[in-house]
Amino acid sequence: MITMEDIIREGHPTLRETAKNVAFPLTNDEEQLCKDMMEFLKNSQDPELAEKYNLRGGVGLAASQLNIPKRIIAVHIPGTVENPEPALSTIMINPKVVSHSIQDSCLAEGEGCLSVDREVPGYVVRHTRITVQYADSNGTQHKIRLKNYAAIVVQHEIDHTNGVMFYDHINQEDPYKISQDVTLIS
């Protein structure tokens, strides 16, 4: 089981590496990694398990954050009270943004990261809508369109596979400066 002790923190060189593509079929270790990553996200969102195992809540995790520089990400975005099904729950292998909107947006509260143990103030501007191509753990190719929060989460995780941290996108001179055509998402 993955815990916070398995997640490397900012300053670790692997977080700045470009991860390698994954070949199919997956090895047994890679299959287990995919399962463990998704289990971590689900456990981190369960209040009892998160407290028991001292997990910080997360909606996305990249293998790079586990010091495994492979292009594997897990995303588990919970549903709402009205629609309890997960908004997005998947493993993406070799994910790639193949198209995106001109419109940009950012989270009003800013972004956080399991690999960053401090608050980093500022807006992280990203594409509002993206189309992502990826393989699932069986090697089946998928292409999905995401918008708003789900698009932001997936872009954050894909950035990890490219050695980019969320705060690299923040305006260093004025962290809360954004152009007027950027949408703030609550």
Side-chain angles (χ1 to χ4, degrees), residues 3-131:
T3 67
M4 292 304 298
E5 288 160 21
D6 299 305
I7 296 173
I8 58 176
R9 302 306 203 278
E10 66 180 316
H12 193 291
T14 301
L15 291 173
R16 291 300 187 175
E17 274 183 45
T18 300
K20 304 280 185 250
N21 277 330
V22 177
F24 288 93
L26 297 182
T27 66
N28 290 341
D29 286 348
E30 290 166 340
E31 282 184 25
Q32 189 60 50
L33 173 65
C34 292
K35 291 175 186 161
D36 291 346
M37 289 170 66
M38 184 59 74
E39 178 189 46
F40 171 85
L41 293 177
K42 290 178 180 178
N43 290 347
S44 79
Q45 294 173 25
D46 179 307
E48 287 180 24
L49 292 174
E51 185 177 345
K52 180 178 179 180
Y53 296 110
N54 197 26
L55 306 177
R56 280 179 41 207
V59 291
L61 182 64
S64 297
Q65 292 176 274
L66 300 169
N67 201 21
I68 302 169
K70 294 184 178 186
R71 298 184 85 79
I72 300 173
I73 67 172
V75 177
H76 185 72
I77 301 172
T80 60
V81 173
E82 301 82 37
N83 184 7
E85 285 297 308
L88 180 64
S89 185
T90 190
I91 298 290
M92 294 182 178
I93 299 172
N94 303 328
K96 183 177 176 183
V97 174
V98 292
S99 67
H100 61 79
S101 62
I102 295 170
Q103 174 68 45
D104 287 335
S105 58
C106 60
L107 298 178
E109 311 260 316
E111 290 186 22
C113 179
L114 294 168
S115 292
V116 179
D117 291 331
R118 62 190 173 98
E119 290 233 359
V120 182
Y123 291 137
V124 181
V125 178
R126 299 189 184 274
H127 304 299
T128 303
R129 290 180 305 284
I130 59 173
T131 301

